[in-house]
Amino acid sequence: MSPNYMRSFSEGCLRPPTVIGQFHTLFFGSVRMFFLGVLGFAVYGNEALHFSCDPDKREVNLFCYNQFRPITPQVFWALQLVIVLVPGAFFHLYAACKSIKQEDILQKSLYSAFYIFSVFLRIILEAVAFWLQIQLFGFKVNAIYMCDVGALEKKFNITRCMVPEHFEKTIFLIAMYTFTVITVVLCVAEIFEIACRRLGFLKSQ
């Protein structure tokens, strides 16, 4: 791929054709990724080391932590961010290969339809991630986790485990839900903006 294609692709990703799309890119790239990358590491970075059960033995702690966290929140949210970016990235790659200018996306029906489809896919992916997050993490992190250790052939079947910094994790969890909702709202608003521009209610940029 030539440098011109790469430049067009990067410009399309960083500067979408709509005002709301540009705000979405700013919010997604600056706020959401910064929040996850910096604060997420601070909150969840040493969770496995501080997760302790009764009895406080390494094998029990590891077994229960894997039961408590089938997937770590940082990995889940990082995968969510990457997957949600895929539809837009494919569209802008297509636009760069076809030498489609950003202003043409709002002026030509076919390009507008493709772009709206990519935004709609983002909404679906965010909704699926929202549902999965509920299934995996719920809305609250409790201070005590009751772990089933029967598979370890212990004399006891259920043991109590202490979850470190559970209140901070609850706040962070709610924040990530909120970010997902904001992103979905921005995507819906972007579709309405495109529709209004196509109908002539808003002037083209």
Side-chain angles (χ1 to χ4, degrees):
M1 185 175 290
S2 70
N4 289 334
Y5 288 154
M6 292 301 298
R7 183 165 53 253
S8 298
F9 171 69
S10 61
E11 289 177 355
C13 292
L14 297 175
R15 192 177 182 276
T18 63
V19 175
I20 295 177
Q22 293 172 21
F23 182 77
H24 170 270
T25 300
L26 177 65
F27 172 79
F28 198 96
S30 301
V31 179
R32 196 170 176 182
M33 288 186 177
F34 175 82
F35 192 88
L36 176 60
V38 177
L39 297 182
F41 179 79
V43 174
Y44 291 97
N46 297 320
E47 183 182 47
L49 296 177
H50 298 150
F51 188 88
S52 60
C53 302
D54 182 23
D56 189 8
K57 296 183 178 179
R58 178 176 174 79
E59 61 172 338
V60 176
N61 291 343
L62 287 176
F63 180 85
C64 289
Y65 183 74
N66 289 333
Q67 189 179 120
F68 175 65
R69 294 288 193 212
I71 180 174
T72 59
Q74 308 103 299
V75 172
F76 175 83
W77 288 320
L79 287 173
Q80 177 186 356
L81 294 182
V82 171
I83 292 173
V84 168
L85 289 175
V86 169
F90 271 116
F91 173 82
H92 292 298
L93 181 62
Y94 169 79
C97 292
K98 295 293 184 178
S99 300
I100 301 172
K101 297 180 180 179
Q102 292 297 299
E103 53 269 21
D104 293 338
I105 296 173
L106 299 180
Q107 294 174 358
K108 297 184 179 181
S109 300
L110 182 61
Y111 300 154
S112 295
F114 282 157
Y115 185 76
I116 289 175
F117 181 70
S118 71
V119 177
F120 187 69
L121 282 180
R122 291 205 310 254
I123 295 174
I124 293 177
L125 291 172
E126 288 282 15
V128 171
F130 191 91
W131 179 81
L132 286 174
Q133 183 174 334
I134 293 174
Q135 301 303 310
L136 289 170
F137 311 125
F139 291 95
K140 181 181 179 181
V141 180
N142 296 316
I144 303 295
Y145 174 71
M146 304 305 294
C147 175
D148 183 0
V149 292
L152 291 178
E153 298 181 356
K154 299 294 182 181
K155 295 180 181 179
F156 47 88
N157 290 328
I158 303 296
T159 186
R160 289 160 52 93
C161 300
M162 299 294 294
V163 181
E165 301 169 343
H166 65 281
F167 185 68
E168 289 184 11
K169 292 179 174 63
T170 298
I171 295 175
F172 197 91
L173 200 60
I174 294 173
M176 295 306 294
Y177 280 120
T178 304
F179 287 153
T180 300
V181 171
I182 292 174
T183 302
V184 171
V185 170
L186 289 175
C187 290
V188 173
E190 187 175 8
I191 292 176
F192 275 105
E193 180 185 347
I194 295 172
C196 289
R197 290 186 184 278
R198 292 287 305 168
L199 294 173
F201 296 120
L202 292 174
K203 293 182 179 179
S204 299
Q205 300 181 77

